[in-house]
Amino acid sequence: MSDAKRYTDSGIEIKAVYTKENTTENIIQQPAVFPFTRGIQPDMYRGKLWTMRQYAGFSTAEESNKRYHYLLSQGVSGLSVAFDLPTQIGYDSDHELAEGEVGKTGVAIDSLEDMEQLFAGIKLETVSTSMTINATGFILLALYVALAKKQGADLNKISGTIQNDILKEYAARGTYIYPPKPSMRIITDIFEWCSKELPKWNTISISGYHIREAGSTAVQEIAFTLSNGKAYVKAAQAKGLNINVFGKRLSFFFNSHNNLFEEVAKFRAARTMWAKMMKALGATDEKAMMLRFHTQTGGSTLTAQQPLNNISRVTIQTLAAVLGGTQSLHTNGFDEALSLPTEEAARIALRTQQITAYESGVADTVDPLAGSYFIENLTKEIEEKATVLIEKIDVMGGSVSAIEQGFIQNEIAKSAYEYQQKIETKEKIIVGVNQFTVNKEEPVPPFKIDDSIRSTQIEKLKLLKAKRDNTKVIECLESIATAATQQVNLMPLVIEAVENYCTLGEISDTLRKVFGEYK
């Protein structure tokens, strides 16, 4: 066995020993210096720890609000909101297609009323909020802004992120509504509006996370994500936006898997590649070349068998993210292969980050693995392999064309199939699944969501529609429809609509009539 060749999941051969001859990096760069391989801050976590987020959202706004207050009391430094499927694809809870899905994968948000309940007792000026929302990202951002205004907040101080990455939805995840071109138009409207009105807000979190969850390798994850990033930059430039302004508000969202060293090298390579890419696209401000990213531990690596083993997996993945220089981190609950995380699982996941931060010593120095022959070599190999893939996509005309031609989807599907084959043949060992199994497992009680939530939401919608000014609602929706056919920024009109209690479904349907739906 020891003489057999070994490879990372991206197919990079791992040598038994690495020496000086194996690395081309003769000079180890400094952090916060182009191309930022070693990190974007000169002192990294000595100056400020990463933002510790716990992704949460389920059932009704009131129930999710209780979990947020609990997490804040336990030491999270940023909120991360999960939305249910109807909210993600632009249906109110009373829509026939919402049946069976309301409040299941996240919280149900139909109107500003729900948003008010979601953040009750939480001052938006004092907390950074990340929202995992794409096709309806502009509506959720409008709801957040409307709530901040109601709280009397200074919009210059509001910070957070909307995921808002529609290209990976076409390629890997599926919660899209409109075709690619109008979707890209909405995204550039957000870039433009936020650059003037919401300067501390990250307008997009270009997401490799779901590309990886769909079965890609580490190399494909960064190649496809950075390629999507390039498409957003070009779309914004085509609209006349300044790369040095909007470039500073782009952020990324990556996955952290079990191969510790490959993951660390992946994060370092991604930073290097993005800096070079932004420079080539015309950025002159170094801050616009810096890749800032949030990380989530790998959901697809969690096993339903022997679920407590997932605590060890999440710990390894946490170390990879921190050694790789993440700015923000969510750690998965050990029970998430079975259900949404229980309060206990969410607490253990948060404690994993806190133990890493305060007890392990890995935050005491910048990029502690730099200069390792193995890490420097692996970083370079990942960069080279990912660059080849990006060049292939460029030849096709960029990410949008590559997605329309099915190239990215096919590459991911092929990798997912090969990975599963390795598990079936035991070439890849998954502890507790295809090796080291037990005959009888102690059941872990799952977190259950009550189906009656839909009735609650429907009742709330009925009451809302009875008391709001419905003439004003019609006016707002007509204004959005007209603006959608012109070159008018949609954000101010959507904010006005949600302030007048137009629902998420009504706004989405208005634009469905104009833009059509992507099939």
Side-chain angles (χ1 to χ4, degrees), residues 291-307:
L291 181 142
R292 295 165 301 116
F293 67 100
H294 169 70
T295 310
Q296 182 173 335
T297 56
S300 61
T301 68
L302 301 176
T303 64
Q305 301 91 328
Q306 300 175 37

mmCIF file of all heavy atoms in Angstrom, residues 291-307:
data_model
loop_
_atom_site.group_PDB
_atom_site.id
_atom_site.type_symbol
_atom_site.label_atom_id
_atom_site.label_comp_id
_atom_site.label_asym_id
_atom_site.label_seq_id
_atom_site.Cartn_x
_atom_site.Cartn_y
_atom_site.Cartn_z
ATOM 1 N N LEU A 291 -9.271 39.039 -2.634
ATOM 2 C CA LEU A 291 -10.361 38.079 -2.542
ATOM 3 C C LEU A 291 -10.709 37.885 -1.062
ATOM 4 O O LEU A 291 -9.916 37.384 -0.287
ATOM 5 C CB LEU A 291 -9.949 36.744 -3.182
ATOM 6 C CG LEU A 291 -11.007 35.645 -3.173
ATOM 7 C CD1 LEU A 291 -10.956 34.859 -4.474
ATOM 8 C CD2 LEU A 291 -10.842 34.687 -2.016
ATOM 9 N N ARG A 292 -11.921 38.348 -0.701
ATOM 10 C CA ARG A 292 -12.418 38.147 0.669
ATOM 11 C C ARG A 292 -13.454 37.039 0.608
ATOM 12 O O ARG A 292 -14.280 37.014 -0.309
ATOM 13 C CB ARG A 292 -13.049 39.447 1.196
ATOM 14 C CG ARG A 292 -12.041 40.585 1.343
ATOM 15 C CD ARG A 292 -12.689 41.954 1.503
ATOM 16 N NE ARG A 292 -13.536 42.273 0.372
ATOM 17 C CZ ARG A 292 -14.857 42.439 0.451
ATOM 18 N NH1 ARG A 292 -15.481 42.343 1.603
ATOM 19 N NH2 ARG A 292 -15.559 42.698 -0.631
ATOM 20 N N PHE A 293 -13.410 36.117 1.567
ATOM 21 C CA PHE A 293 -14.349 35.000 1.447
ATOM 22 C C PHE A 293 -14.891 34.492 2.783
ATOM 23 O O PHE A 293 -14.253 34.583 3.820
ATOM 24 C CB PHE A 293 -13.714 33.854 0.647
ATOM 25 C CG PHE A 293 -12.548 33.142 1.309
ATOM 26 C CD1 PHE A 293 -12.736 31.931 1.950
ATOM 27 C CD2 PHE A 293 -11.259 33.680 1.261
ATOM 28 C CE1 PHE A 293 -11.666 31.259 2.535
ATOM 29 C CE2 PHE A 293 -10.193 33.019 1.830
ATOM 30 C CZ PHE A 293 -10.388 31.803 2.476
ATOM 31 N N HIS A 294 -16.117 33.989 2.673
ATOM 32 C CA HIS A 294 -16.782 33.270 3.763
ATOM 33 C C HIS A 294 -16.620 31.781 3.461
ATOM 34 O O HIS A 294 -16.572 31.388 2.297
ATOM 35 C CB HIS A 294 -18.263 33.644 3.794
ATOM 36 C CG HIS A 294 -19.102 32.780 4.688
ATOM 37 N ND1 HIS A 294 -19.019 32.821 6.058
ATOM 38 C CD2 HIS A 294 -20.040 31.838 4.403
ATOM 39 C CE1 HIS A 294 -19.881 31.947 6.581
ATOM 40 N NE2 HIS A 294 -20.502 31.339 5.591
ATOM 41 N N THR A 295 -16.521 30.974 4.476
ATOM 42 C CA THR A 295 -16.402 29.525 4.283
ATOM 43 C C THR A 295 -17.492 28.810 5.077
ATOM 44 O O THR A 295 -17.864 29.258 6.162
ATOM 45 C CB THR A 295 -15.032 29.013 4.780
ATOM 46 O OG1 THR A 295 -14.010 29.828 4.218
ATOM 47 C CG2 THR A 295 -14.789 27.567 4.380
ATOM 48 N N GLN A 296 -17.981 27.734 4.516
ATOM 49 C CA GLN A 296 -18.857 26.816 5.271
ATOM 50 C C GLN A 296 -18.255 25.432 5.177
ATOM 51 O O GLN A 296 -17.745 25.045 4.129
ATOM 52 C CB GLN A 296 -20.281 26.816 4.712
ATOM 53 C CG GLN A 296 -21.223 25.908 5.509
ATOM 54 C CD GLN A 296 -22.675 26.026 5.061
ATOM 55 O OE1 GLN A 296 -23.084 27.042 4.516
ATOM 56 N NE2 GLN A 296 -23.460 24.991 5.289
ATOM 57 N N THR A 297 -18.295 24.714 6.283
ATOM 58 C CA THR A 297 -17.777 23.344 6.258
ATOM 59 C C THR A 297 -18.668 22.494 5.349
ATOM 60 O O THR A 297 -19.828 22.819 5.126
ATOM 61 C CB THR A 297 -17.699 22.774 7.698
ATOM 62 O OG1 THR A 297 -18.997 22.865 8.306
ATOM 63 C CG2 THR A 297 -16.692 23.554 8.534
ATOM 64 N N GLY A 298 -18.116 21.407 4.825
ATOM 65 C CA GLY A 298 -18.753 20.658 3.736
ATOM 66 C C GLY A 298 -19.984 19.877 4.140
ATOM 67 O O GLY A 298 -19.885 18.834 4.780
ATOM 68 N N GLY A 299 -21.153 20.355 3.718
ATOM 69 C CA GLY A 299 -22.399 19.652 4.030
ATOM 70 C C GLY A 299 -22.432 18.248 3.454
ATOM 71 O O GLY A 299 -22.899 17.305 4.098
ATOM 72 N N SER A 300 -21.902 18.091 2.239
ATOM 73 C CA SER A 300 -21.966 16.778 1.574
ATOM 74 C C SER A 300 -20.998 15.772 2.200
ATOM 75 O O SER A 300 -21.063 14.579 1.894
ATOM 76 C CB SER A 300 -21.666 16.925 0.076
ATOM 77 O OG SER A 300 -20.363 17.447 -0.096
ATOM 78 N N THR A 301 -20.099 16.241 3.079
ATOM 79 C CA THR A 301 -19.171 15.304 3.731
ATOM 80 C C THR A 301 -19.776 14.705 5.006
ATOM 81 O O THR A 301 -19.219 13.779 5.589
ATOM 82 C CB THR A 301 -17.848 16.000 4.138
ATOM 83 O OG1 THR A 301 -18.124 16.951 5.192
ATOM 84 C CG2 THR A 301 -17.203 16.715 2.966
ATOM 85 N N LEU A 302 -20.913 15.264 5.448
ATOM 86 C CA LEU A 302 -21.533 14.776 6.690
ATOM 87 C C LEU A 302 -22.214 13.443 6.425
ATOM 88 O O LEU A 302 -22.819 13.233 5.378
ATOM 89 C CB LEU A 302 -22.562 15.783 7.201
ATOM 90 C CG LEU A 302 -22.048 17.199 7.501
ATOM 91 C CD1 LEU A 302 -23.205 18.107 7.908
ATOM 92 C CD2 LEU A 302 -20.992 17.182 8.595
ATOM 93 N N THR A 303 -22.112 12.540 7.376
ATOM 94 C CA THR A 303 -22.714 11.217 7.189
ATOM 95 C C THR A 303 -23.870 11.014 8.157
ATOM 96 O O THR A 303 -23.816 11.451 9.307
ATOM 97 C CB THR A 303 -21.671 10.097 7.405
ATOM 98 O OG1 THR A 303 -21.239 10.132 8.778
ATOM 99 C CG2 THR A 303 -20.473 10.272 6.495
ATOM 100 N N ALA A 304 -24.914 10.346 7.666
ATOM 101 C CA ALA A 304 -26.051 10.003 8.532
ATOM 102 C C ALA A 304 -25.660 8.835 9.440
ATOM 103 O O ALA A 304 -26.206 8.680 10.538
ATOM 104 C CB ALA A 304 -27.248 9.622 7.663
ATOM 105 N N GLN A 305 -24.682 8.026 8.973
ATOM 106 C CA GLN A 305 -24.174 6.922 9.797
ATOM 107 C C GLN A 305 -23.181 7.487 10.818
ATOM 108 O O GLN A 305 -22.352 8.318 10.479
ATOM 109 C CB GLN A 305 -23.454 5.876 8.925
ATOM 110 C CG GLN A 305 -24.322 5.251 7.838
ATOM 111 C CD GLN A 305 -24.260 6.007 6.518
ATOM 112 O OE1 GLN A 305 -24.098 7.222 6.493
ATOM 113 N NE2 GLN A 305 -24.416 5.287 5.417
ATOM 114 N N GLN A 306 -23.274 7.034 12.056
ATOM 115 C CA GLN A 306 -22.384 7.488 13.138
ATOM 116 C C GLN A 306 -22.223 9.017 13.103
ATOM 117 O O GLN A 306 -21.102 9.549 12.935
ATOM 118 C CB GLN A 306 -21.013 6.803 13.032
ATOM 119 C CG GLN A 306 -21.065 5.275 13.126
ATOM 120 C CD GLN A 306 -19.713 4.614 12.906
ATOM 121 O OE1 GLN A 306 -18.673 5.133 13.324
ATOM 122 N NE2 GLN A 306 -19.723 3.444 12.280
ATOM 123 N N PRO A 307 -23.324 9.751 13.250
ATOM 124 C CA PRO A 307 -23.275 11.203 13.041
ATOM 125 C C PRO A 307 -22.298 11.955 13.956
ATOM 126 O O PRO A 307 -21.799 13.014 13.574
ATOM 127 C CB PRO A 307 -24.715 11.664 13.272
ATOM 128 C CG PRO A 307 -25.417 10.521 13.911
ATOM 129 C CD PRO A 307 -24.699 9.284 13.503
#
